[in-house]
Amino acid sequence: MFYRRGMKKRAADEETTYWLSYSDMMAGLLLTFVLLIAVTMLRAQIQYDLKEKQLLGKEEELKVQTDALEIERETVASQSLLLESQKEALALQADKLLVQEEELLAQQELLLTQEEEMKAQHLLLTELENLMASQQAKLDRIIGVRSELIEALKREFDNSGMELGLDEKTGAITFQSSILFSYSQAELKPGGKEFLDKFFPRYIKILLSPQYREYISEIVIEGHTDTSGGYLYNLDLSQKRAYNVAAYCMADKSSMVSADELEELRKVVSTSGKSFSSPVLDENGEIDAEASRRVEIQFRLKDEEMVREMLEILNGEATEEELQATGTTTSIETQTTAGTKTTTGTQTATGTQTTAGTKTTTGTQTTTETQTGETLTTGAQAAETQSEETKTEEQTAGQQKTGEKTAQ
């Protein structure tokens, strides 16, 4: 009994609990729906307010744009008026351009004619420049002979151990007379002969080489003394010394040179005695007696032949009368548009000027200078040497005859 009652009561409690739970759940769901609706409405209100603000901002922007558009319309209207005036101005300019085009066509025709003339002149100028380039090469070769000879002698004797001096301007070689002669004597010492045996073949080998032989006009052996004693005594002594050097070096049975070389030497070698006319001064300007007692060997180039060849190069050809008219003092200067300048020698009045659109001048002036990468001193030095030699030869013409008679 008690069991059954307990079971019934228990069942009733369970049923009551079920319905209470169901009602709680429904109340929770309702509350949830209410909250969702409230949140949705709140979000909708917020979005509405935001959209309203955005709309108000866009209305203001639209108003600003409308005002700007009105301003632009006014600007366009004013620009239209300006454009109309510009069109009128362009129409006037078009008329002017037509006139200018006609003038331009006429100028183009004239320009074409001038271009054809310029082409012809350019071809002529190119031919002239090519000719000048080949002539320049020939001139450089002629002018550079002395410098090349001096350089060859320098290479030959710089480290030879011989007691001699080389003048790098003229190419003259000097050795003290004490090497060759006793004091106040004209006979060669044994040591002097040994010295000449070493020196002379090497010297002649260079001057008579195929490279330079055609340019050598004279080899001069000069004797010099100090100022002790009278002029004529020293003149006789210096002439005998120069002669004895030449006689030893060019004897018929000389072993220093070959027969062919001997024949060539006898065509160009001469001797000269200078007495004490060219003393050597020391650093204080006083006469150095020991240095003044010396023998010099000099070479001379065929300057007149070189000048004639230069004139032929510049003028196409030169007659013998033109060469004689220039004399021994001639200055030749050649200048091309390439900027190369070559001048040799002394003085002349020969000039050639050619004009072909651009002016190219080939002329002759007084001052002499040569520039081809390095400075060559041949021109002025050759003229200086030749001038001094001419004066000296005039003064000693009779003295040489006296020396030859004395030596004989």
Side-chain angles (χ1 to χ4, degrees):
M1 280 295 287
F2 289 108
Y3 178 75
R4 289 181 178 176
R5 286 177 184 178
M7 290 294 291
K8 288 181 180 179
K9 185 178 180 179
R10 189 176 182 180
D13 292 337
E14 289 178 354
E15 184 176 359
T16 302
T17 301
Y18 171 79
W19 285 110
L20 289 173
S21 299
Y22 182 77
S23 63
D24 290 340
M25 182 184 68
M26 292 301 293
L29 287 174
L30 181 61
L31 181 60
T32 301
F33 285 139
V34 171
L35 290 174
L36 286 174
I37 291 171
V39 170
T40 302
M41 290 181 66
L42 181 61
R43 289 185 62 186
Q45 183 64 37
I46 292 172
Q47 290 179 356
Y48 176 78
D49 293 341
L50 181 62
K51 293 288 186 181
E52 188 175 7
K53 289 180 180 180
Q54 291 177 350
L55 184 60
L56 289 174
K58 289 182 178 180
E59 286 180 355
E60 291 178 359
E61 290 179 1
L62 182 60
K63 184 178 179 180
V64 172
Q65 291 176 355
T66 302
D67 295 339
L69 183 60
E70 289 298 326
I71 295 173
E72 288 180 356
R73 285 177 180 174
E74 294 176 359
T75 303
V76 168
S78 63
Q79 289 179 348
S80 297
L81 295 175
L82 179 62
L83 183 60
E84 289 296 327
S85 63
Q86 290 177 346
K87 286 181 179 179
E88 294 177 358
L90 285 174
L92 294 175
Q93 290 180 353
D95 294 338
K96 292 180 180 179
L97 283 175
L98 290 176
V99 176
Q100 291 177 352
E101 284 179 359
E102 293 176 357
E103 295 177 353
L104 181 60
L105 289 175
Q107 291 177 353
Q108 287 177 344
E109 293 178 357
L110 178 61
L111 182 61
L112 289 174
T113 303
Q114 292 176 346
E115 284 180 353
E116 292 177 357
E117 294 177 355
M118 286 296 295
K119 287 179 180 179
Q121 292 173 351
H122 180 70
L123 291 174
L124 178 60
L125 181 60
T126 302
E127 293 177 359
L128 289 173
E129 288 178 348
N130 293 335
L131 177 61
M132 289 301 299
S134 62
Q135 292 172 348
Q136 186 68 48
K138 293 179 182 179
L139 285 172
D140 292 342
R141 172 60 184 161
I142 293 171
I143 295 169
V145 169
R146 181 179 292 275
S147 295
E148 291 178 8
L149 257 173
I150 293 173
E151 187 62 28
L153 291 172
K154 188 176 179 181
R155 288 194 303 268
E156 181 70 24
F157 294 109
D158 263 357
N159 299 316
S160 64
M162 297 182 183
E163 296 182 13
L164 54 81
L166 173 63
D167 189 328
E168 295 186 7
K169 293 183 178 180
T170 64
I173 290 182
T174 304
F175 27 82
Q176 301 301 317
S177 63
S178 59
I179 299 174
L180 305 177
F181 308 99
S182 298
Y183 183 77
S184 193
Q185 298 297 316
E187 295 299 324
L188 284 168
K189 298 191 301 186
K193 292 180 180 180
E194 292 178 4
F195 178 86
L196 291 175
D197 289 338
K198 295 178 183 178
F199 164 78
F200 198 70
R202 298 170 69 173
Y203 181 77
I204 294 304
K205 178 186 70 175
I206 295 174
L207 265 66
L208 295 186
S209 64
Q211 185 178 1
Y212 304 117
R213 174 63 188 93
E214 62 179 311
Y215 297 103
I216 301 298
S217 65
E218 189 176 9
I219 299 173
V220 181
I221 302 174
E222 289 184 350
H224 296 264
T225 67
D226 59 21
T227 55
S228 299
Y231 175 81
L232 293 178
Y233 171 81
N234 283 298
L235 178 64
D236 179 61
L237 179 62
S238 60
Q239 288 176 338
K240 286 180 178 179
R241 285 179 171 178
Y243 173 81
N244 286 339
V245 170
Y248 178 75
C249 293
M250 297 190 300
D252 290 336
K253 297 181 180 180
S254 174
S255 60
M256 288 188 287
V257 292
S258 65
D260 292 337
E261 289 175 333
L262 184 60
E263 183 178 353
E264 289 295 321
L265 285 173
R266 289 178 174 177
K267 295 177 182 178
V268 295
V269 172
S270 63
T271 63
S272 175
K274 298 296 185 180
S275 186
F276 49 69
S277 60
S278 299
V280 176
L281 305 180
D282 59 20
E283 59 184 9
N284 297 321
E286 301 293 333
I287 295 177
D288 187 333
E290 184 176 356
S292 297
R293 296 191 296 271
R294 67 194 187 277
V295 173
E296 291 185 3
I297 298 183
Q298 305 174 2
F299 64 84
R300 296 175 184 170
L301 301 178
K302 296 178 180 178
D303 293 332
E304 292 183 7
E305 293 298 321
M306 292 168 68
V307 168
R308 183 182 63 81
E309 187 174 347
M310 291 177 192
L311 288 175
E312 288 178 354
I313 291 172
L314 292 175
N315 301 322
E317 62 179 59
T319 62
E320 191 66 21
E321 290 77 14
E322 291 173 337
L323 178 62
Q324 293 175 355
T326 60
T328 58
T329 57
T330 305
S331 172
I332 301 170
E333 177 176 345
T334 303
Q335 186 170 1
T336 67
T337 56
T340 305
K341 183 178 181 183
T342 303
T343 313
T344 70
T346 47
Q347 299 175 352
T348 192
T350 305
T352 302
Q353 181 172 323
T354 305
T355 304
T358 303
K359 183 180 291 185
T360 301
T361 306
T362 301
T364 58
Q365 297 179 356
T366 301
T367 307
T368 66
E369 176 179 290
T370 301
Q371 186 173 359
T372 57
E374 61 176 4
T375 303
L376 301 178
T377 58
T378 302
Q381 292 167 359
E384 244 179 69
T385 304
Q386 186 175 1
S387 177
E388 291 177 359
E389 290 169 356
T390 303
K391 293 179 181 179
T392 304
E393 287 173 2
E394 290 176 355
Q395 293 173 356
T396 62
Q399 296 172 2
Q400 290 178 353
K401 295 180 181 179
T402 303
E404 293 174 0
K405 291 179 181 179
T406 304
Q408 292 174 358

